[in-house]
Amino acid sequence: MCKEIPISYRNRAAGVNYCYEGDSEHGIMYFFYAQCMEMENYSLEQCFADMINEVMTNSNYDEIVFDVRWNGGGNRWIMQPLLEKYKDELAQMKISIIVGKDTYSAAFQFVEDCMQLFDEVFIYGEETGQAITNYTEIKEIDLPALNCTMVIPTVEDYVPEIKKRYSDLERGIIPDIEVY
C-alpha cells in the first residue's frame, strides 16, 4: 500500500505550472515543470531563484531532476534565461530530465537548452511525442468562407545537440534509461 502520492502526481494534481521539492536526504532537488507559462501568484524566475538558493545553502544536493514528461509546451523563452543565469550553480550538479509521450514544443526545446548548456544531461522516461525533426512557430490563417482557421507551422525547430545525440530524427527523444 502506498503511504504517499508520488511527488510528480501530487504536483500535477495541484495544477501548478512549476514548483520544486527537495529531498536533501538523497541529495536530489526535483523541479516539476508542467507548462512553459507563467503563473499569476509565483513567477518562474522567483521559483527558480528560491530553488537555487535552497540548493546552494544545503550542500547535500548533488542532482537536479527536471520533470517535463507532461509538459506540452508554451513559451520557451521564460526558462532559457534562467538556465543561463544559474548555469554555474547548475553545472555543479548532475542534470537529469524526465521526458514522456506528452513532452512537446517548448518542453522539448528545454531539453535542447540543457544539452547546450551542460556537459552531461541524463534523460529518463518514455520517448517524447514530438519527433526531433519538427516545425513550430505557428501562423494562423482565417478562412471565413469555410468557417475555420488553418494553422501552419513555419519554422523548423533548432535542436543541434539533440540531432547530434540521435540518428533517427523522425522519432522523438529516446531516454538513456526508459521508464514507463
Coordinates of all heavy atoms in Angstrom, one line a residue, residues 23-29 55 58-65 89-96:
D23 N 14.8 16.8 -1.7 CA 15.0 15.6 -0.9 C 16.5 15.6 -0.5 O 17.3 14.9 -1.1 CB 14.6 14.4 -1.7 CG 14.8 13.1 -0.9 OD1 15.3 13.1 0.2 OD2 14.4 12.0 -1.4
S24 N 16.8 16.4 0.5 CA 18.2 16.5 0.9 C 18.8 15.2 1.4 O 20.0 15.0 1.3 CB 18.4 17.6 1.9 OG 17.7 17.3 3.1
E25 N 17.9 14.3 2.0 CA 18.4 13.0 2.5 C 19.1 12.2 1.3 O 20.1 11.6 1.5 CB 17.3 12.3 3.1 CG 17.7 10.9 3.7 CD 16.5 10.2 4.3 OE1 15.6 10.9 4.9 OE2 16.5 9.0 4.3
H26 N 18.5 12.3 0.1 CA 19.0 11.6 -1.0 C 19.8 12.5 -2.0 O 20.3 12.1 -3.0 CB 17.9 10.9 -1.8 CG 17.2 9.8 -1.0 ND1 16.0 10.0 -0.3 CD2 17.6 8.6 -0.7 CE1 15.7 8.9 0.4 NE2 16.7 8.0 0.1
G27 N 19.9 13.8 -1.7 CA 20.7 14.7 -2.5 C 20.0 15.2 -3.8 O 20.7 15.6 -4.7
I28 N 18.7 15.1 -3.8 CA 18.0 15.4 -5.1 C 17.1 16.6 -4.9 O 16.3 16.6 -4.0 CB 17.2 14.1 -5.5 CG1 18.1 12.9 -5.8 CG2 16.4 14.5 -6.8 CD1 17.4 11.6 -6.0
M29 N 17.2 17.5 -5.9 CA 16.3 18.6 -6.0 C 15.4 18.2 -7.2 O 15.9 17.9 -8.3 CB 17.0 19.9 -6.2 CG 16.0 21.1 -6.4 SD 14.8 21.4 -5.1 CE 15.9 22.0 -3.8
V55 N 19.3 25.0 -2.9 CA 20.4 24.1 -3.3 C 21.8 24.6 -2.8 O 22.6 23.8 -2.3 CB 20.4 23.9 -4.9 CG1 21.7 23.3 -5.4 CG2 19.2 23.1 -5.3
N58 N 22.3 24.3 1.0 CA 22.3 22.9 1.6 C 23.3 22.1 0.7 O 22.9 21.7 -0.4 CB 20.9 22.3 1.5 CG 20.8 21.0 2.2 OD1 21.8 20.2 2.2 ND2 19.6 20.6 2.6
S59 N 24.4 21.8 1.2 CA 25.4 21.1 0.5 C 25.1 19.6 0.2 O 25.9 19.0 -0.5 CB 26.8 21.2 1.2 OG 26.7 20.5 2.5
N60 N 24.0 19.1 0.7 CA 23.6 17.7 0.4 C 23.2 17.5 -1.0 O 23.2 16.4 -1.5 CB 22.5 17.3 1.4 CG 23.0 17.2 2.8 OD1 24.2 17.1 3.0 ND2 22.1 17.1 3.7
Y61 N 22.7 18.6 -1.7 CA 22.2 18.4 -3.1 C 23.3 18.2 -4.1 O 24.2 19.0 -4.2 CB 21.3 19.6 -3.5 CG 20.0 19.7 -2.7 CD1 19.8 20.8 -1.8 CD2 19.0 18.7 -2.7 CE1 18.7 20.9 -1.0 CE2 17.9 18.8 -2.0 CZ 17.7 19.9 -1.2 OH 16.5 20.0 -0.4
D62 N 23.2 17.1 -4.9 CA 24.2 16.9 -5.9 C 23.5 16.6 -7.3 O 24.2 16.4 -8.2 CB 25.2 15.9 -5.5 CG 24.6 14.5 -5.2 OD1 23.4 14.3 -5.4 OD2 25.3 13.6 -4.8
E63 N 22.2 16.5 -7.3 CA 21.4 16.2 -8.5 C 20.2 17.0 -8.6 O 19.5 17.3 -7.6 CB 21.1 14.7 -8.5 CG 20.3 14.3 -9.8 CD 20.0 12.8 -9.9 OE1 20.3 12.1 -8.9 OE2 19.4 12.5 -10.9
I64 N 19.9 17.5 -9.8 CA 18.6 18.2 -10.0 C 17.8 17.4 -11.1 O 18.4 17.0 -12.1 CB 18.7 19.6 -10.4 CG1 17.4 20.3 -10.5 CG2 19.5 19.8 -11.7 CD1 17.4 21.8 -10.5
V65 N 16.6 17.1 -10.8 CA 15.7 16.4 -11.7 C 14.7 17.3 -12.3 O 13.9 17.9 -11.5 CB 15.1 15.1 -11.1 CG1 14.1 14.5 -12.0 CG2 16.1 14.2 -10.5
E89 N 25.8 27.4 -11.1 CA 25.3 26.7 -10.0 C 24.8 25.3 -10.4 O 25.1 24.3 -9.8 CB 24.1 27.4 -9.3 CG 24.6 28.7 -8.6 CD 24.7 29.9 -9.4 OE1 24.6 29.8 -10.7 OE2 24.8 31.0 -8.9
L90 N 24.1 25.3 -11.5 CA 23.5 24.0 -12.0 C 24.6 23.1 -12.6 O 24.5 21.9 -12.4 CB 22.5 24.3 -13.2 CG 21.2 25.0 -12.7 CD1 20.4 25.5 -13.9 CD2 20.4 24.1 -11.9
A91 N 25.7 23.7 -13.1 CA 26.8 22.8 -13.6 C 27.5 22.0 -12.5 O 28.2 21.1 -12.8 CB 27.8 23.7 -14.4
Q92 N 27.3 22.4 -11.3 CA 27.9 21.7 -10.2 C 27.1 20.4 -9.8 O 27.5 19.6 -9.0 CB 28.0 22.5 -8.9 CG 28.9 23.8 -9.1 CD 28.8 24.7 -7.9 OE1 28.6 24.2 -6.8 NE2 28.8 26.0 -8.2
M93 N 26.0 20.2 -10.5 CA 25.1 19.1 -10.1 C 24.9 18.2 -11.3 O 25.1 18.6 -12.5 CB 23.7 19.7 -9.8 CG 23.7 20.7 -8.7 SD 22.1 21.4 -8.3 CE 21.4 20.1 -7.4
K94 N 24.5 17.0 -11.0 CA 24.1 16.0 -12.1 C 22.7 16.6 -12.6 O 21.8 16.8 -11.8 CB 23.9 14.6 -11.5 CG 23.4 13.6 -12.5 CD 23.2 12.3 -11.9 CE 22.5 11.3 -12.9 NZ 22.2 10.0 -12.3
I95 N 22.6 16.7 -13.9 CA 21.3 17.2 -14.5 C 20.6 15.9 -15.1 O 21.1 15.3 -16.0 CB 21.6 18.2 -15.6 CG1 22.5 19.3 -15.2 CG2 20.3 18.6 -16.3 CD1 21.8 20.3 -14.2
S96 N 19.4 15.7 -14.6 CA 18.5 14.6 -15.1 C 17.2 15.2 -15.5 O 16.7 16.2 -14.9 CB 18.3 13.6 -14.0 OG 19.5 13.0 -13.6

